[in-house]
Amino acid sequence: MMLKRSLIYALLALFALYFALPLAFMLLNSLKSSAELRDGAFLAWPRAPELSAWRAAWDALGGSFVNSLLLAVPVVTLSSLLAALNGFILCKFRFRGSELVFIGLLVALFLPIKVYLLPLAISLAKLGLGKSLGVLIAIHVIYSLPLALFFRNHYLGFPDELLRAARIDGAGFWALFLRIVLPLSKPVFVVVVILQFTTIWNEYLFGLVFTEADGRPITAALAQLGATGEGGVRDYNVEMAAALLAALPTLAVYLLAGKHFTRGLVAGAVKG
Amino acid sequence: MTTTTSALRRYLDRPELLLLPSLAIGLLFFYGFMLWTGWLSMTRSSLLPSNEFVGLLQYQRLFLDERWLHALGNLLRFAGLFVAIPLLLGLALAILLDQKLRAEGALRLIYLHPMALSLIVTGTVWRWLLDPELGLAQGVRQLGFASFRLDWLADEEMALYTLVIAAVWQITGFVMAVFLAGLRAVDDAVLQAARLDGASGFTLYRRIVLPTLGPSLFSALLVLLPAAIKSFDLVVALTDGGPGQSSELPALYMFQMAFERSRLGLGAASSMVMLMMVLAIAIPYAYARGRKGRGHDA
């Protein structure tokens, strides 16, 4: 099944351009000065690469970059540990209705955020819970409950004999979970943590609705940066740097753990 | 250990009870709030939630609203392309990449990286690339094509297609990865046998390889269709539904009605319609998976 090699390479290279150019182009323009932009050679190489746009982007978005970190790290930690626990129970302790719980989680994975956004906003307002990072963290952890499915599927491959042997040796549930199950869960944790970090970092709607000015995660701040451009020539060098800044952490994860990243996305891309 | 004690242990030690808090919270936040939205959609709620039951009035209003019908029409056009193009392109790229190439790793890295970006970033980038004054248009003009114009973002007919361009850029690598995994799962022995029978190149693919890609196609559709229906972030960042309402999709309509125009009931009704569309995809899938009782990935 060897097609013509040169033709294949040419086609693939052409598509590589389509996929690679936007980011390359962002990088180029983020390294230009505002003066150079006004001269306006958009596709040109920067004359004297400089970081002023990056500094401006950090001034505008640095705070929300930190917000996103303060959001993503606890959410990823809490939600994946909780999911491991729930997934383990769901998999190895079948009870009446456990299939129903499974289907409930599966459907929940598909539900559009907009279906519960209004009641969520109404109840938080009624409870007087302000828009804060803590609330946002809790919301994200709750709506990450279907993550348990990943662990459940992973644990399906666990030999019951292993668990039974440990029980006979006197291990209670927690000993079983903490000493045997968790250490054997590393591969699925890698996938889930990457998927979850990417999802939470890139999430926009919750971040927009449940935060205010200083508490914005980076996606919401970036969207507003674009929306509030002043008349005349907009500083697209700053916007390019800002967009790259927002993209850096997930791109880094992607480059460092590409294989797991793809697996996670394939498994979890229905979220959102 | 005697049978009595182990029976006793089994009774005392019921870890499934640990699920209860998560179940209760999940039931409330996913399904309770979903029902609440359903209730809101049947009340007179506007700026504030109200409990005055009005039946299907909001749905009637919704489907008499030109803007909503327009958004639905847009969704139909957007979803068609958003599904068809990544499927075809992704399959083509996967087949091309599957020819045991040297550069496969690097190419895959390039094709897939947009998936790492948030749709807000994607929208921001493409908004500049497609800007009529700057971006690609200016670049081409500077290459000597002085009269070149690219004003799709400002064009009511074309704005929707800018969403397609950016969304295709974002998701095609993912579809490619799904198909590539499917291609790699094809049994080499089968291929060898087919080759011995004289099948080659195109025929080999059409007769032997493509028919095995059903599950991959299914996984890709399962991601693409709901993603199309839910599309919101990209619209916000790239066109904001404009110019006018020419690139508005249902999710943006819902958000604006509920959060900016103080029409809670109408917004709730529109989100219920979107829910129905997503459930039409998710429930048969969940049912099939539930019957099997187990699956490989979530």
Side-chain angles (χ1 to χ4, degrees), chain A residues 5 9 244:
Chain A
R5 296 248 125 193
Y9 274 113
L244 276 177

Side-chain angles (χ1 to χ4, degrees), chain A residues 229-257:
Chain A
E230 296 131 45
V233 177
R234 288 160 68 175
D235 288 332
Y236 59 78
N237 56 344
V238 178
E239 228 178 286
M240 293 288 119
L244 276 177
L245 185 65
L248 272 182
T250 50
L251 273 181
V253 170
Y254 170 69
L255 288 176
L256 291 175

